[in-house]
Amino acid sequence: MTTTTAHSFTPTVLAERRRQAVDAVLADVRRLTAQGTPDRAALSAITARLEQLAAHKDLFSRTDFPPPDETAGVGASTRYRLNPEDGDGGLALYLNSINPGKTTAPHDHTTWAVIVAVEGQEVNRLYERTDDRSDPARARIHLAQEFTVRPGASIAFLPDDIHSIAVVGTEPTLHFHLYGQPLETLTGRVAIDPDTGEVKNYNAAYFRPSVAVA
């Protein structure tokens, strides 16, 4: 009996298998979110489905999704959009490759999100907001929990959840990030300085465009 590996497929066939796998996951996620914004239970089901996709490492190699060059600097990142044909409407699935050393300010998403690792480790710091939100320029948050996203250990967020990340270890990440809406459209999300409480518009201050994958 002959064993088939990813190396047995031409790039065109591999890309088609990847497209079919991504489309199948997104179809399942659309069914799970058909009633609107998912709750924690629905996010758990979405996470489990995305973890099934992450198990197909042959479809998501570093050859096809290379990390930023080391010359790009500590913490450089590349975000690949896996369903660019959906444009600004609905779900957005990305594959992020981030070099070790990357950190972000605490921020929200204003939509739900699921993060699942193929390779690499990302420490997520989860915050609780404790002010009354009466001042749009200031916020008060405190660190509630830390969780390391790695293969087999995923995380999910509701729209108002606040987190920051720190990429640790020696290898770049290769992580799925699935959002209820494309990041490019989330113009209202905010970043919060945990020391001063200053609030900034996250996209305006930090956001960089994604790379579309055909």
Side-chain angles (χ1 to χ4, degrees), residues 27-191:
D28 288 343
V29 173
R30 289 186 181 99
R31 284 192 287 271
L32 289 166
T33 58
Q35 302 306 312
T37 300
D39 58 14
R40 298 284 185 194
L43 286 178
S44 293
I46 293 169
T47 300
R49 186 63 182 89
L50 199 56
E51 286 175 342
Q52 293 174 359
L53 184 65
H56 294 280
K57 294 182 65 173
D58 59 316
L59 300 181
F60 302 98
S61 70
R62 294 193 186 276
T63 299
D64 291 332
F65 300 95
D69 192 276
E70 291 183 0
T71 60
V74 172
S77 63
T78 302
R79 184 191 317 106
Y80 298 95
R81 176 83 185 267
L82 297 180
N83 64 325
E85 67 282 355
D86 287 333
D88 289 344
L91 303 176
L93 178 60
Y94 304 91
L95 189 59
N96 283 11
S97 186
I98 307 176
N99 288 344
K102 168 80 171 184
T103 62
T104 68
H107 61 276
D108 64 8
H109 296 110
T110 68
T111 188
W112 59 268
V114 174
I115 302 172
V116 171
V118 179
E119 298 179 9
Q121 300 181 69
E122 177 188 282
V123 174
N124 278 249
R125 296 183 173 92
L126 313 180
Y127 296 84
E128 292 180 352
R129 186 165 177 176
T130 59
D131 65 290
D132 62 8
R133 304 182 184 233
S134 60
D135 183 352
R138 285 286 181 274
R140 186 167 61 249
I141 59 176
H142 74 87
L143 180 63
Q145 183 183 355
E146 288 193 1
F147 180 86
T148 300
V149 176
R150 59 185 185 277
S154 310
I155 198 167
F157 300 101
L158 291 174
D160 290 337
D161 289 342
I162 298 170
H163 80 135
S164 66
I165 70 164
V167 176
V168 299
T170 59
E171 65 174 345
T173 63
L174 199 58
H175 289 185
F176 289 117
H177 286 231
L178 175 62
Y179 298 92
Q181 297 175 234
L183 289 173
E184 290 81 359
T185 70
L186 304 180
T187 56
R189 60 181 179 146
V190 299

Side-chain angles (χ1 to χ4, degrees), residues 25 120 172:
V25 168

